Amino acid sequence: MAHHELTFSEKFLFPLDHKYVGLQYMWTALFMAAVGGFMAYCFRMQLAFPGESVPLWGVVTPQNYNAFITNHGTIMIFWVAMPLLIATFGNIMIPLMIGCDDMVFPKLNRLSYQVFFVSTVVLFASYFVPGGGFGGSWTTYPPLSARAEYSLTPLGSSMWLGAVALEIVAFLIGGINFLTTTMNARAPGMKMLDIPVAIWMINIATVLFMFSVGPLVAGAIMLLLDQQLGTSFFVPSGGGDPVLFQHLFWFFGHPEVYIILLPTMGFVAEIITTFSRKKLFGYKTIIYTSFMVGILSMVVWAHHQFIAGIDPRMANIFSITTIIISIPLAIMFLAYIWTLLGGSIKFELPMMWAVAFLLEFLIGGLTGLYLGSSAMDIYFHDNTFVVAHFHYTLMPATFFGGFAALYHWYPKIFGRKMLNGVGKIHFWGTVIPFNCIFIPLFLLGIAGQHRKIYDYTHFPDLMQSGFQDLRVFATSSLVVMLCFQFLFLFNFVMGMRLGEVAGNNPWNSTTLEWACPSPPPHGNFGETLPTVYRGPYEYSVPGSDVDFLPQHIPAKA
Amino acid sequence: MWETLPKSLSTFSGDIDHLFWGVTYLMGFSYVVSMLVIIYLLLAFRRKEGVKAQYIAGESGKQLMLIYIPLALFVCFDMYIDTTTAEVWHKAKMELPAADVKVRAVAQQWAWTFVQEGNIETINELHVPAGQTVHVAMESSDTLHSLSIPIFRFKQDVIPGRIITGWFKSKSFAEIKAAKQSMIDRYNNRPADDKFARELPTDDAESASFDIQCAEMCGVGHGIMAARIVVHSEKGYAAWKASEKAMIDEMQDDSADAEEEAAPAEEAAPAEETHGAHGTEG
Amino acid sequence: MKPIATDRSATGIPTGRLAMWMLLPGEIVIFGGLLACYLVYRFHNPEWGVESQHLNLYAGSLNAFILLTSSLFILLAQHAAEKEKDFEAAFKWMWATVICGVGYISVKAYEYTHEISEGFTITANVFWSFYYSATAIHAAHVFAGGLAIAILSFSVRQGKHINRVELTGIYWHFVDLVWIFLFPLLYIAG
């Protein structure tokens, strides 16, 4: 196969090469993170200083506020977490880590990004149509979302829904590529249990996505018909049932959060093994347990609906399954923690982010137990405590995990490491303010504050001494955290010019992606694709004179 | 400044709070231990010159005990949460004790209409007697809403086309009034530099009022759909009902007179008059 | 200029077939979700049996027959292309399938026209909303499948992309299967 030098168009406009498709997703995701972050800034400024003009925006009206919270959530989940964690690293890393020259269907891959791009354009367009952008929250419950007379956004609702549907199609297309490539195109000698955890996790997440999203697509079609043609799938006055939509939404919505979590768990596994020079503790246990997490995640959905008007007996069942899902997650966490035991740990930036993920996600996971209890959920449903809980899970998964992966694989993708000093400042400038934003939200939630509320000054019991101070503190911390992200942007761009040149394997890691040049050329490994001789984490093998045995180096005779 | 739960003023709010604290101790313990272990491992096994890492696969039964023993403890915590949850949920949501008082709550974009005994309608103010079991029959006239009364730990989504009945029973009026007083004291004793705190709306001697929030996104006005619950003593409740009834009767007489006089330009007294004005602002 | 990856097969299953078998579960859950909702509503609305009687049972049966036959045709096309290497015959069998697809859509168009003129529009009641949305989405899949087969037929006639006949066949059988579920649930369960 001829590996010609790629043209500008083949790299940046219409790439077939998996690395460049992955980079397209990455740039889009980082851009959308800025957009989503800006929306959070605007709505938090409204909460901290109600009614006042927000710098860079103006006065946040109730319509603006609802549209901001809705689109902040939608963007972060569908246009940041999934493209960054799954599409970027899935596309770039799968062929590299399984030792082949590209994805199995490059044209399908290119198409998936094109559909994703269109979905992004449609989403932005939804903000500029008459009536403005959709503001019925990312969960888009009918009848609010089903009738323009309620939502007051006749076009925005449908365009938003259409954008999400297109994003889903993009990921279904991409997912087929990931699964087929991983299953079929592995290097000779790479058995199933030699596949690195990161690749396992991306694929399990993909399967979970493909199985859980169908009912939501059906629900979205029905909702779209309710919105545009006046059908009444979900509108009681016409014979419909709004609670049915909730089931369709959350049947996907809950697995979705594990779809976002699992890839990061994969990246963290790669990183802690590399930087502790240690074999992963319980590789098989981790793989089997993540299957369990995937399966269990499909039977917990109604914990979002405990007080939604479902049969209270059903609530009991879902409360039990939800508490049970903490068990496989605890197993995975314990396996990761024990990987550190007996290690030789170096605190490079990827490792710092991986450890931050473990410590912060743990808070998110443990606070989930409050919400999985149907009895406590009576109090906490739609409460700011929920917001703090899911930010302690989703932000570590998306951003800490995303930063960990970016810092770890940046040298491979761009040929140089990111700047270390700048990176460390960025790290602390993100992690500390992050806690300063969301701990106040736990406290305010415990005190009774509900979420999605435009102006707390209307609620006397929420304006008691100390409450507004917490809101202002949280908002200020958000502003600080956002400012530090400029450092990341600087580091990301300047690293390509000023960073330390990386070479093939700057971290002395065992997996196959480090066996090719940094950056990899078109075709990745040149004329000879690698063969695999051992598992992915053979660090510090007793009796070996080097402290790591890469997968592709034959055993000594 | 460290906020804890609001006053616990119903017969099941204490159970929910008790569960909350129990989970907090267990989860807090789990977190602190995990964090200490992680930090210990990071420090004890940081890279040292000449010290090689160990090769621990985590596949043998003995090594896997490192996972399964802490897990067993965690499972015990989970079982506590599950069993206590089932009890409390049963009490709050699966039982429906006999009603002493029945009210209706009708949600709409963006206000609550409450219909109390004697067909007394109020907007954004729910009046209930202390210490009695209240049934609330909730419905919506448009989108989903949710009736949330934090001090009672009461919450129920409200769905158009369905009537859902929930219940609560508050503690004694003395306890409720004392709780409200402590909230007023908090305001009065606030730090001198507190520029944000707002004074609570006043109540008369026989009532105490608290927030009601809408807990389900219902459109543009969701964030300002504020309401209040006014809990009366026995005496106060009777007095309130009597005065409301008197106003209704007066209005009906007025409108009857007006019809007799056949004065077409005069409308009946505006609807606002029937809605309880106790000096408590929403 | 295919990547080497495309022809690898660690599982022993060709990549194209593997990919098609992954597309289908995704589609099945979409149709499954829609039908599950329909069934939930149906249990709560026994009066829908009356609405269902206004559907044209003959048309539905004819369409079932058309689709089943067309599945046979695409199998014959696959056999002709892969086993007999008779590309001209394969081309003809593929077009027989496409024509069946066209026939299917024509019958549905006839049904829709008739039903709408009698006042059974998509907003008439939730039964009709399900009927139109489920059958229209299905018809869209028939159309897409037919288009794919039509386009592929020209390559196959020249002996190229023979392996793809099987793939379009798998997809076509799936579309057929969906109708086997839709037809009784909508037209018959009364």
Side-chain angles (χ1 to χ4, degrees):
Chain A
M1 178 188 170
H3 296 301
H4 62 280
E5 187 57 34
L6 297 174
T7 64
F8 178 85
S9 172
E10 285 171 325
K11 281 190 195 178
F12 301 115
L13 295 181
F14 306 107
L16 289 170
D17 183 309
H18 69 101
K19 301 184 287 297
Y20 290 98
V21 175
L23 285 174
Q24 284 185 316
Y25 274 106
M26 185 195 74
W27 290 117
T28 312
L30 291 176
F31 173 73
M32 293 303 268
V35 173
F38 176 74
M39 293 184 178
Y41 157 77
C42 288
F43 70 68
R44 276 237 59 93
M45 287 294 280
Q46 155 61 22
L47 291 180
F49 311 108
E52 290 182 32
S53 177
V54 173
L56 300 177
W57 176 262
V59 171
V60 174
T61 64
Q63 285 94 332
N64 292 157
Y65 181 85
N66 283 2
F68 281 143
I69 57 169
T70 299
N71 286 283
H72 166 81
T74 310
I75 285 176
M76 288 304 189
I77 291 179
F78 292 114
W79 276 273
V80 179
M82 289 183 72
L84 181 63
L85 301 175
I86 299 177
T88 300
F89 291 106
N91 270 305
I92 298 178
M93 304 313 303
I94 290 178
L96 291 178
M97 288 176 95
I98 64 169
C100 66
D101 56 339
D102 206 317
M103 287 286 188
V104 168
F105 303 118
K107 288 193 188 142
L108 208 58
N109 216 17
R110 178 176 61 184
L111 178 66
S112 84
Y113 179 77
Q114 288 168 339
V115 174
F116 177 72
F117 182 80
V118 170
S119 77
T120 313
V121 170
V122 173
L123 184 70
F124 278 118
S126 78
Y127 304 149
F128 297 104
V129 293
F134 179 58
S137 116
W138 89 285
T139 49
T140 187
Y141 283 179
L144 176 67
S145 59
R147 292 285 190 255
E149 69 197 89
Y150 298 147
S151 68
L152 307 179
T153 57
L155 290 170
S157 315
S158 296
M159 290 178 73
W160 177 93
L161 197 56
V164 173
L166 281 170
E167 190 268 6
I168 289 174
V169 168
F171 275 83
L172 284 172
I173 296 174
I176 293 176
N177 231 341
F178 293 171
L179 286 169
T180 315
T181 304
T182 306
M183 286 174 75
N184 253 0
R186 278 172 275 147
M190 184 180 268
K191 302 185 289 295
M192 298 279 261
L193 293 180
D194 295 323
I195 299 175
V197 171
I199 305 303
W200 268 114
M201 297 298 186
I202 292 176
N203 283 287
I204 295 173
T206 300
V207 171
L208 194 52
F209 178 75
M210 286 166 73
F211 278 123
S212 63
V213 89
L216 177 59
V217 172
I221 293 170
M222 293 191 270
L223 183 60
L224 199 62
L225 290 173
D226 275 7
Q227 288 173 350
Q228 293 301 325
L229 293 186
T231 50
S232 297
F233 287 106
F234 304 120
V235 180
S237 57
D241 180 5
V243 180
L244 182 61
F245 181 83
Q246 296 179 24
H247 287 294
L248 293 171
F249 183 87
W250 287 115
F251 183 79
F252 164 70
H254 194 85
E256 168 69 351
V257 307
Y258 295 102
I259 291 165
I260 293 175
L261 171 66
L262 289 179
T264 290
M265 294 292 280
F267 306 148
V268 168
E270 303 305 325
I271 291 169
I272 59 178
T273 50
T274 301
F275 292 97
S276 333
R277 315 311 292 161
K278 260 211 73 197
K279 196 171 161 107
L280 190 64
F281 188 95
Y283 169 95
K284 277 199 281 218
T285 305
I286 290 174
I287 302 298
Y288 295 146
T289 313
S290 40
F291 276 111
M292 282 248 54
V293 169
I295 294 170
L296 273 175
S297 77
M298 300 198 69
V299 291
V300 300
W301 80 88
H303 65 233
H304 300 270
Q305 299 163 260
F306 281 141
I307 52 129
I310 63 172
D311 189 324
R313 292 167 297 182
M314 210 160 83
N316 273 327
I317 297 174
F318 281 96
S319 194
I320 294 172
T321 55
T322 305
I323 302 292
I324 288 178
I325 204 173
S326 65
I327 297 173
L329 283 165
I331 294 176
M332 287 175 80
F333 259 80
L334 285 165
Y336 280 40
I337 291 174
W338 294 127
T339 304
L340 300 170
L341 175 71
S344 172
I345 301 169
K346 189 132 196 291
F347 289 100
E348 300 275 4
L349 276 164
M351 186 63 173
M352 290 169 71
W353 284 109
V355 171
F357 163 78
L358 288 174
L359 286 169
E360 304 281 18
F361 184 88
L362 206 47
I363 297 177
L366 292 173
T367 50
L369 286 155
Y370 289 87
L371 303 171
S373 156
S374 52
M376 277 191 282
D377 194 62
I378 299 174
Y379 181 64
F380 285 124
H381 173 75
D382 216 69
N383 179 299
T384 317
F385 189 97
V386 178
V387 177
H389 157 74
F390 67 68
H391 281 88
Y392 263 98
T393 48
L394 288 175
M395 270 190 78
T398 308
F399 287 103
F400 297 7
F403 287 136
L406 286 170
Y407 278 99
H408 186 61
W409 280 303
Y410 184 96
K412 176 54 54 184
I413 299 169
F414 296 108
R416 291 174 184 265
K417 289 185 184 176
M418 279 203 259
L419 307 170
N420 214 21
V422 176
K424 292 211 159 115
I425 300 173
H426 168 242
F427 174 82
W428 294 110
T430 304
V431 174
I432 296 176
F434 164 75
N435 289 291
C436 295
I437 300 170
F438 293 105
I439 291 178
L441 261 55
F442 273 128
L443 298 174
L444 287 166
I446 291 169
Q449 179 179 282
H450 284 62
R451 56 188 289 209
K452 311 184 194 180
I453 300 284
Y454 167 71
D455 187 348
Y456 291 112
T457 60
H458 290 259
F459 299 91
D461 295 357
L462 295 180
M463 293 305 293
Q464 297 183 70
S465 174
F467 286 55
Q468 190 66 13
D469 301 88
L470 283 175
R471 294 179 194 121
V472 172
F473 180 68
T475 300
S476 315
S477 306
L478 173 64
V479 174
V480 168
M481 191 182 80
L482 289 175
C483 288
F484 273 97
Q485 303 319 302
F486 286 105
L487 276 182
F488 176 75
L489 186 60
F490 171 84
N491 202 354
F492 202 82
V493 172
M494 296 312 281
M496 295 186 217
R497 268 162 255 270
L498 302 177
E500 180 193 322
V501 173
N504 284 19
N505 195 354
W507 310 122
N508 287 334
S509 187
T510 53
T511 39
L512 289 182
E513 78 272 29
W514 304 104
C516 61
S518 306
H522 185 53
N524 299 337
F525 295 96
E527 288 307 312
T528 326
L529 297 180
T531 302
V532 161
Y533 298 95
R534 62 184 61 78
Y537 304 112
E538 297 304 306
Y539 292 99
S540 308
V541 181
S544 165
D545 47 346
V546 281
D547 86 329
F548 72 110
L549 292 173
Q551 285 189 281
H552 70 291
I553 307 286
K556 294 210 176 85
Chain B
M1 197 168 117
W2 293 94
E3 302 314 325
T4 52
L5 295 158
K7 307 299 169 194
S8 164
L9 298 179
S10 80
T11 53
F12 55 72
S13 58
D15 298 294
I16 292 179
D17 288 3
H18 192 74
L19 179 55
F20 170 82
W21 286 112
V23 173
T24 301
Y25 291 131
L26 294 176
M27 294 303 114
F29 169 80
S30 304
Y31 185 71
V32 168
V33 169
S34 307
M35 188 178 67
L36 289 176
V37 168
I38 292 175
I39 292 177
Y40 166 76
L41 291 174
L42 292 173
L43 293 173
F45 295 105
R46 63 190 182 285
R47 188 152 306 172
K48 291 173 207 137
E49 192 64 46
V51 178
K52 208 171 144 176
Q54 298 168 36
Y55 188 83
I56 304 173
E59 311 262 303
S60 74
K62 224 175 100 186
Q63 288 172 359
L64 284 171
M65 283 302 118
L66 276 174
I67 292 183
Y68 291 114
I69 292 177
L71 186 72
L73 181 61
F74 191 74
V75 171
C76 293
F77 295 169
D78 280 352
M79 278 167 37
Y80 162 78
I81 298 176
D82 264 331
T83 47
T84 316
T85 293
E87 276 172 42
V88 180
W89 175 259
H90 193 267
K91 184 171 174 182
K93 287 286 182 184
M94 290 174 76
E95 287 174 4
L96 193 61
D100 297 315
V101 171
K102 289 190 181 177
V103 304
R104 274 177 59 214
V106 182
Q108 67 183 88
Q109 286 181 319
W110 289 286
W112 293 96
T113 303
F114 297 108
V115 185
Q116 282 105 155
E117 289 185 308
N119 245 336
I120 303 171
E121 260 188 44
T122 52
I123 301 243
N124 290 334
E125 249 183 37
L126 172 60
H127 291 259
V128 295
Q132 296 188 42
T133 302
V134 178
H135 282 199
V136 193
M138 297 165 275
E139 54 189 292
S140 163
S141 51
D142 40 47
T143 64
L144 297 179
H145 298 267
S146 188
L147 182 63
S148 170
I149 310 174
I151 42 139
F152 291 159
R153 314 290 184 269
F154 176 91
K155 188 174 298 152
Q156 175 59 53
D157 277 10
V158 176
I159 304 175
R162 269 171 72 172
I163 299 179
I164 300 180
T165 301
W167 74 278
F168 55 80
K169 177 176 174 179
S170 81
K171 294 186 173 165
S172 71
F173 183 71
E175 285 175 272
I176 293 188
K177 197 64 174 162
K180 184 65 191 269
Q181 187 56 46
S182 77
M183 288 166 71
I184 295 172
D185 292 342
R186 179 190 181 146
Y187 176 74
N188 292 332
N189 299 332
R190 68 192 184 284
D193 61 355
D194 185 340
K195 44 190 184 337
F196 296 121
R198 299 213 177 171
E199 187 162 14
L200 295 163
T202 50
D203 308 309
D204 63 32
E206 300 298 327
S207 66
S209 66
F210 305 91
D211 277 351
I212 286 178
Q213 296 189 41
C214 176
E216 191 59 56
M217 168 59 82
C218 57
V220 165
H222 168 66
I224 48 177
M225 195 165 150
R228 298 286 281 173
I229 183 164
V230 183
V231 187
H232 296 273
S233 64
E234 206 182 316
K235 196 170 115 188
Y237 187 62
W240 173 78
K241 278 201 291 186
S243 88
E244 291 291 315
K245 191 159 184 316
M247 268 198 282
I248 296 176
D249 289 343
E250 198 185 303
M251 265 182 48
Q252 285 175 345
D253 289 341
D254 280 349
S255 66
D257 291 342
E259 275 174 34
E260 279 182 18
E261 293 177 19
E266 282 291 300
E267 286 293 315
E272 285 161 53
E273 283 199 32
T274 59
H275 301 148
H278 263 261
T280 53
E281 275 218 319
Chain C
M1 271 273 288
K2 270 189 312 187
I4 296 172
T6 313
D7 290 320
R8 278 184 165 178
S9 183
T11 58
I13 305 172
T15 47
R17 199 190 301 160
L18 196 57
M20 187 52 69
W21 282 113
M22 282 172 195
L23 173 65
L24 293 192
E27 290 268 37
I28 287 173
V29 219
I30 297 176
F31 277 104
L34 195 57
L35 283 181
C37 289
Y38 168 74
L39 285 171
V40 168
Y41 273 115
R42 190 65 187 261
F43 280 125
H44 287 112
N45 291 286
E47 74 278 9
W48 284 7
V50 174
E51 303 291 338
S52 165
Q53 283 169 13
H54 293 285
L55 290 174
N56 190 331
L57 202 55
Y58 298 113
S61 313
L62 175 63
N63 267 346
F65 174 76
I66 289 175
L67 283 183
L68 281 167
T69 312
S70 66
S71 271
L72 176 64
F73 290 156
I74 193 74
L75 268 173
L76 290 170
Q78 182 186 344
H79 185 83
E82 287 180 1
K83 297 279 160 37
E84 295 169 11
K85 306 281 188 228
D86 183 348
F87 303 131
E88 202 51 47
F91 178 79
K92 293 199 179 96
W93 286 123
M94 288 172 83
W95 273 96
T97 312
V98 173
I99 288 167
C100 284
V102 170
Y104 174 90
I105 291 174
S106 311
V107 172
K108 273 252 69 64
Y110 164 79
E111 283 183 88
Y112 283 168
T113 315
H114 193 68
E115 284 145 4
I116 291 171
S117 66
E118 291 199 344
F120 298 115
T121 58
I122 194 172
T123 48
N125 80 21
V126 186
F127 170 83
W128 290 101
S129 305
F130 271 111
Y131 166 73
Y132 283 108
S133 49
T135 55
I137 294 169
H138 177 255
H141 282 76
V142 172
F143 178 80
L147 190 64
I149 293 175
I151 294 175
L152 181 64
S153 68
F154 295 103
S155 304
V156 168
R157 192 193 224 173
Q158 295 174 353
K160 293 202 291 217
H161 296 312
I162 302 303
N163 65 306
R164 292 184 187 175
V165 182
E166 182 200 7
L167 302 184
T168 53
I170 295 173
Y171 180 82
W172 194 257
H173 298 320
F174 157 72
V175 162
D176 194 359
L177 187 67
V178 171
W179 185 249
I180 304 302
F181 276 89
L182 275 185
F183 172 55
L185 287 177
L186 287 170
Y187 287 69
I188 302 180

